[in-house]
Amino acid sequence: MKHGNIVIKVILVLAALVMAILPVAAALASETLPSPTPASTVAPSVQQPKRLNNLKTRGASEIDRRLDQLQKALDKVQTGTKLPDKTKKELVNQLQTEVTALTTLKSKLSSDTDLAASRTDVQKIIDDYRVYGLLLPKARIIATTDRFYLADEHLQLLRASLQHQINLAKQQGKNVTKLEKSQANLIKRLASARTHYKGLPDKLIKLPVTDYAASHKILTTSAAELKAARTDFGVAEDEAKKILNSLRSLK
Amino acid sequence: MPDINPTSQPLAPGQPSATPTAPQPQPPSPDPNTVLAPTPVSSLPDVGEGYHKIATAILAILLVVAVAIAVWQFVPWPHADTPQPAPSLSTVKIETSLEQVEAAFDDLDANMIGIDPALTDTQGNLSE
């Protein structure tokens, strides 16, 4: 009983102390907490030119990057030797049209005087000119197809030289079973590669830019076709090297 | 016998003789209307015989050449039916073709960079 009375008394004392301290603490806190930062005192008319300049600078930089890549793609297409003239001419025309339009946009952006107009123009770089998503990969795939045709010509000459030597070795009574098997595999791989890259320029030259998702998918598939063709070429080259090494050992 | 002309002096070398000499008989001047008698054949140089020899030599050479050609064309040679040895294997042309293929592949691989289309066209920082 005596113990319980002491506990009650302690609790009461503590409660009283808390009740006494709380208001004081509150008073102290209100005096020492930092006051919220007042609103900026810099006028909006000073901030806006800075933002406008930033946007114009970044926009011009993005346009320059695209123009640089488009010019490189244009050079690749123009140095091609195996594309049909009609396809080459049309692709060059598309690239040059894009370059002209972006150059005009850059000029307009640099002359914009308000933030809203510059925002609109900068957005156009992405929305109206699908350079990285559509036009550049299209031009690169078509230019690369031209190089595939050229590589195929060299591979055909190699195949003919190999066949000639295999026939000679056979006439000399040498065992050419493995050589003929490798040669057959080489021919099969060249035919397979051709099915991947042949027809791509015709398929892509009229690719619409209006349906971004569908065109993007076609380009992704076409890029995969070229990679498969390159793999076939690589295997054909390995077979050619095997035949060459065998012929050297037969001499 | 004493000299008839006592005043004559011995001639110096080269000095023409003072004594007039008797005129030499002049050859008759040719008459343009006179036809000269033909020179006898036996006194002409023998030009025809030289040409005759050359012509004979040429004919002989041609005859020999013709016979040789006829023999080459029509006489079967003993080695005609002997099988020719097969040419030896050579990998030089293959090696050259392979080098050209590898160069074409280098160009092809360089062009394949960037054929994958970007997911979006937003690249770079376009913030204000």
Side-chain angles (χ1 to χ4, degrees):
Chain A
M1 192 71 169
K2 207 173 182 179
H3 180 69
N5 288 337
I6 292 169
V7 169
I8 291 166
K9 278 181 188 172
V10 166
I11 290 168
L12 284 170
V13 165
L14 283 173
L17 274 170
V18 167
M19 297 292 287
I21 289 167
L22 265 177
V24 173
L28 281 172
S30 67
E31 286 175 8
T32 57
L33 272 176
S35 55
T37 312
S40 173
T41 52
V42 181
S45 58
V46 175
Q47 279 187 336
Q48 281 220 350
K50 190 178 172 187
R51 286 161 65 188
L52 179 63
N53 284 337
N54 278 348
L55 204 53
K56 281 173 151 185
T57 305
R58 290 181 202 277
S61 164
E62 283 303 305
I63 290 174
D64 285 341
R65 282 200 313 125
R66 282 157 173 79
L67 287 174
D68 179 57
Q69 293 299 315
L70 285 167
Q71 187 56 55
K72 283 176 180 161
L74 197 56
D75 292 341
K76 275 189 190 176
V77 171
Q78 284 174 324
T79 53
T81 53
K82 301 293 170 191
L83 285 174
D85 283 342
K86 191 180 165 191
T87 307
K88 196 169 163 180
K89 204 172 169 182
E90 194 163 342
L91 184 57
V92 164
N93 191 36
Q94 288 177 13
L95 288 165
Q96 284 174 338
T97 303
E98 194 86 338
V99 166
T100 306
L102 277 170
T103 308
T104 306
L105 180 63
K106 184 181 172 184
S107 174
K108 185 176 179 305
L109 179 63
S110 72
S111 64
D112 282 338
T113 52
D114 64 282
L115 210 51
S118 66
R119 278 187 197 132
T120 306
D121 287 339
V122 162
Q123 196 58 40
K124 276 183 187 174
I125 298 171
I126 299 159
D127 293 340
D128 294 1
Y129 303 96
R130 303 287 194 172
V131 171
Y132 291 110
L134 294 182
L135 190 55
L136 270 180
K138 170 179 164 178
R140 286 166 182 164
I141 289 170
I142 292 176
T144 306
T145 307
D146 175 272
R147 300 324 189 257
F148 268 96
Y149 279 113
L150 189 60
D152 184 62
E153 277 187 8
H154 289 296
L155 281 162
Q156 291 300 334
L157 288 171
L158 176 61
R159 181 200 56 77
S161 298
L162 289 167
Q163 188 61 54
H164 180 69
Q165 293 301 317
I166 290 171
N167 292 344
L168 273 178
K170 201 171 182 178
Q171 277 177 19
Q172 291 175 5
K174 308 267 194 311
N175 185 356
V176 296
T177 311
K178 280 188 180 172
L179 299 183
E180 285 177 334
K181 196 174 169 188
S182 291
Q183 180 76 340
N185 200 19
L186 184 153
I187 292 168
K188 188 177 154 193
R189 285 292 181 158
L190 291 185
S192 169
R194 223 168 287 126
T195 62
H196 290 300
Y197 63 75
K198 197 176 175 182
L200 279 182
D202 291 335
K203 186 177 167 189
L204 299 181
I205 195 68
K206 295 286 185 192
L207 203 67
V209 293
T210 47
D211 190 347
Y212 181 80
S215 297
H216 191 271
K217 194 175 175 185
I218 291 169
L219 285 168
T220 306
T221 310
S222 300
E225 293 277 8
L226 286 187
K227 288 174 189 173
R230 181 62 183 93
T231 303
D232 282 333
F233 272 5
V235 172
E237 189 195 6
D238 290 341
E239 294 290 357
K241 285 177 177 171
K242 261 193 233 172
I243 297 170
L244 175 60
N245 289 334
S246 298
L247 284 168
R248 281 178 181 148
S249 64
L250 286 177
K251 280 206 283 187
Chain B
M1 182 172 182
D3 196 350
I4 295 170
N5 187 357
T7 61
S8 66
Q9 299 288 327
L11 287 171
Q15 188 180 4
S17 170
T19 310
T21 53
Q24 297 292 327
Q26 297 292 324
S29 56
D31 183 356
N33 294 322
T34 308
V35 173
L36 290 173
T39 311
V41 173
S42 57
S43 65
L44 280 173
D46 198 1
V47 174
E49 193 173 330
Y51 282 136
H52 182 70
K53 282 184 183 172
I54 290 167
T56 307
I58 290 169
L59 278 172
I61 290 166
L62 285 173
L63 189 62
V64 166
V65 168
V67 167
I69 290 169
V71 166
W72 183 265
Q73 289 286 325
F74 299 113
V75 173
W77 292 102
H79 63 271
D81 295 332
T82 310
Q84 299 290 328
S88 57
L89 290 175
S90 169
T91 55
V92 172
K93 207 169 173 185
I94 295 172
E95 285 156 4
T96 307
S97 286
L98 196 54
E99 279 172 19
Q100 287 171 343
V101 163
E102 283 168 353
F105 280 2
D106 287 343
D107 184 41
L108 181 58
D109 291 338
N111 275 276
M112 283 186 76
I113 297 168
I115 60 171
D116 289 307
L119 286 172
T120 64
D121 242 81
T122 309
Q123 292 194 11
N125 187 359
L126 285 172
S127 66
E128 298 171 24

